[in-house]
Every structure is written in C-alpha cells, then in structure tokens.
C-alpha cells in the first residue's frame, strides 16, 4: 500500500514513487492471474475497486493494466471491464526472460538449505494434525494436476505446511515473507505440448510425495535428502532455461 509520505499535496502518488507503485500493482495482479486466483475468462475487479484495494491513483491502476495487456495476460472490453486471457505461448515467452529466471535461481538457492533443515525437523517434530495437513496439501496438488488447474498455490501451501511442522516459527515466517513467488512458475515448459507438461507436473508430484512420506515415517535423513533432491532439481530445471537452446541470445524463451 502507498504510504502517506509517498503522496503529493493532492493525495496522489508522487512521481518518485509512481513507477514503484505501478510495478507493485502489476506484479500482484500478475501473480493472481498466473496462480489461477483469476482464471481465464474471469473479470478483474473494477478500476475503482483496484484503486481502493491498493490505495493508489487511477493512473497507477491504468498503467498496471496496460502492462498486463502488453504481456498478453488480459483484454480490456469497452463498457464491460478487463478480462483474463487464455494462456498463450507468446505470454509465456514474455514471462520467461533471463532476468526473471535468474531471480528464481537466487531464491531457490536461499530456500534450499532452509527447507532441507525444515524437512528434517518436520520429520522429528510434526504433530498428527500437522502431518494430516501435509498430506492434504499433497492431495490438493495432485487434484490440481488431474484437473488441469494451476498448482502454484497448492505447491506453496505444501512447503508452508512442512515449515510449520518444524514448530519453529522462523521457517514459516521466511516463506510467508516471500509469498507464492517463492514457488517457481509451473509453466517452465514453454512448448504447447500438453503431454510434456504433464510429465513435468507428475515429476514434481513424485518429488513432493517422497518428501511427504519421509516426514510421515519420521525419517529425518530421508526427508532431508528428498527435499534436497527436489530443490536441487528445481534449480537444474531453471538453469536449463539459461543455457542450451531454451533461451535466445536476446534472453527470450525459445520453443525450438
């Protein structure tokens, strides 16, 4: 939300802060679209509602929507509103540039040692209720895969449930501070090949399943190793986007 010191005398965002506010609103709306909170065909909140929700000017909201339109994520229909577009290879290409993939790698590197430790502690300390929640989160991921829905929110919920099962609030606080952006986009597969994408999703599910079963069995070392394999695998998958033909020299994802 905009702070009072960031507003000019008319109560509008200052020029100094305007660009930052546009980025903030754009990023939050983009995350909601990509996570499925606003599915294809859904109407975004009105300009007035977004202005109130984010405590920004109408100009900031309009510029954020313009960015989303340029990214092929939404369409504006005159007299009706702004609607989420079905995903397209072009919109995926716009998201998977070198800078964004690098930031994913940086966050994964930070998460890896913390979540390896969290998995081991969860295996030792989880309560029956926490164990049940972990299983429920894993089941929701599989349900999303089978229904063809985005898995990012469910993926984040599983990792958060594991961190909470350590009964050390610091682990969960770190993940909450990052939000769902801590989870790499599931749309790492840029091809429109649905079979390949399903293989990718089921690979993630199998990795999660090993973590969950090790925690349920109280096997500290197996839980650590399963989490290590999962996060190291995520790092390697994203490194493949930075080398070897999936990125063109201009940094855009290639489907060749």
């Amino acid at each position: 939300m905009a702070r009072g010191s960031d507003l000019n005398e008319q109560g509008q965002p200052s020029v100094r802060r305007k660009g930052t506010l546009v980025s903030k609103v754009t990023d939050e709306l983009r995350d909601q679209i990509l996570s499925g909170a606003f599915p294809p065909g859904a109407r975004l909140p009105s300009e007035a509602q977004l202005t109130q929700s984010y405590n920004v000017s109408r100009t900031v909201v309009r510029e954020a929507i313009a960015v989303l339109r340029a990214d092929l994520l939404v369409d504006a229909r005159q007299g009706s509103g702004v609607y989420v577009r079905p995903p397209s290879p072009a919109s995926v290409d716009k998201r998977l540039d070198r800078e964004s993939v690098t930031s994913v790698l940086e966050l994964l590197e930070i998460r890896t040692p913390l979540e390896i430790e969290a998995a081991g502690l969860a295996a030792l300390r989880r309560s029956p209720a926490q164990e049940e929640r972990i299983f429920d989160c894993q089941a929701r991921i599989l349900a999303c895969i089978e229904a063809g829905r985005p898995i990012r929110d469910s993926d984040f919920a599983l990792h958060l449930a594991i961190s909470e099962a350590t009964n050390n609030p610091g682990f969960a606080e770190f993940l909450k501070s990052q939000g769902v952006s801590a989870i790499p986009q599931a749309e790492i597969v840029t091809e429109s090949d649905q079979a390949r994408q399903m293989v990718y999703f089921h690979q993630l599910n199998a990795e999660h399943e090993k973590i969950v079963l090790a925690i349920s069995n109280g096997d500290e070392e197996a839980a650590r190793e399963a989490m290590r394999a999962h996060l190291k695998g995520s790092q390697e998958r994203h490194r493949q986007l930075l080398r070897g033909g999936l990125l063109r020299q201009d940094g855009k994802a290639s489907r060749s």
Side-chain angles (χ1 to χ4, degrees), residues 6-80:
D6 297 326
L7 304 180
N8 61 22
E9 293 179 356
Q10 287 72 42
Q12 300 298 325
S14 66
V15 174
R16 179 176 61 84
R17 287 287 297 163
K18 183 178 174 183
T20 301
L21 291 173
V22 171
S23 298
K24 178 181 184 297
V25 174
T26 303
D27 291 345
E28 292 193 17
L29 288 174
R30 182 186 286 111
D31 281 346
Q32 292 182 72
I33 291 169
L34 299 182
S35 70
F38 292 128
R43 183 179 181 275
L44 294 187
S46 69
E47 184 178 286
Q49 289 171 322
L50 291 173
T51 297
Q52 183 175 14
S53 296
Y54 292 104
N55 192 23
V56 296
S57 70
R58 287 179 179 267
T59 300
V60 169
V61 170
R62 288 169 187 162
E63 291 188 16
I65 295 299
V67 174
L68 296 176
R69 290 180 66 187
D71 285 349
L72 306 180
L73 292 173
V74 301
D75 276 328
R77 303 176 191 173
Q78 188 170 6
S80 179

Side-chain angles (χ1 to χ4, degrees), residues 8-256:
N8 61 22
E9 293 179 356
Q10 287 72 42
Q12 300 298 325
S14 66
V15 174
R16 179 176 61 84
R17 287 287 297 163
K18 183 178 174 183
T20 301
L21 291 173
V22 171
S23 298
K24 178 181 184 297
V25 174
T26 303
D27 291 345
E28 292 193 17
L29 288 174
R30 182 186 286 111
D31 281 346
Q32 292 182 72
I33 291 169
L34 299 182
S35 70
F38 292 128
R43 183 179 181 275
L44 294 187
S46 69
E47 184 178 286
Q49 289 171 322
L50 291 173
T51 297
Q52 183 175 14
S53 296
Y54 292 104
N55 192 23
V56 296
S57 70
R58 287 179 179 267
T59 300
V60 169
V61 170
R62 288 169 187 162
E63 291 188 16
I65 295 299
V67 174
L68 296 176
R69 290 180 66 187
D71 285 349
L72 306 180
L73 292 173
V74 301
D75 276 328
R77 303 176 191 173
Q78 188 170 6
S80 179
V82 178
Y83 292 82
V84 177
R85 293 182 56 162
S88 67
S91 64
V92 173
D93 285 353
K94 283 180 175 289
R95 297 198 301 271
L96 292 177
D97 59 23
R98 185 175 298 273
E99 181 179 353
S100 64
V101 176
T102 300
S103 66
V104 167
L105 276 172
E106 290 169 348
L107 184 52
L108 282 169
E109 287 176 351
I110 296 170
R111 285 178 56 201
T112 296
L114 291 174
E115 293 204 58
I116 289 172
E117 180 68 12
L121 292 174
L124 297 175
R125 300 177 178 176
R126 84 274 181 229
S127 68
Q130 289 168 333
E131 182 178 353
E132 185 175 350
R133 173 165 171 72
I134 290 171
F135 273 112
D136 286 345
C137 290
Q138 171 65 9
R140 285 203 297 273
I141 293 175
L142 183 57
C144 287
I145 293 172
E146 293 176 344
R149 298 195 304 269
I151 68 171
R152 199 181 191 195
D153 284 347
S154 298
D155 193 334
F156 177 74
L158 173 62
H159 283 269
L160 183 59
I162 292 170
S163 70
E164 289 172 340
T166 66
N167 291 300
N168 178 334
F171 289 99
E173 286 171 5
F174 169 76
L175 277 183
K176 288 177 181 177
S177 72
Q178 301 302 315
V180 74
S181 62
I183 305 300
Q185 290 292 349
E187 293 85 350
I188 185 173
V189 177
T190 58
E191 286 82 356
S192 57
D193 182 349
Q194 297 233 339
R196 180 178 172 183
Q197 191 169 54
M198 288 303 292
V199 168
Y200 169 68
F201 286 154
H202 283 288
Q203 179 182 354
L204 291 181
N205 185 65
E207 292 173 3
H208 286 143
E209 188 174 70
K210 288 181 180 180
I211 299 167
V212 169
L213 290 176
I215 291 172
S216 179
N217 290 333
D219 191 332
E220 176 186 5
E221 289 309 312
R224 290 174 185 271
E225 182 53 41
M227 183 65 80
R228 179 184 293 107
H230 171 55
L231 294 177
K232 290 291 187 181
S234 292
Q235 289 182 43
E236 181 56 31
R237 286 186 284 270
H238 281 79
R239 285 193 177 94
Q240 288 173 7
L241 290 178
L242 293 172
R243 64 172 185 258
L246 282 181
L247 288 174
R248 305 191 204 98
Q249 289 184 352
D250 63 359
K252 300 298 182 183
S254 168
R255 302 202 314 276
S256 61

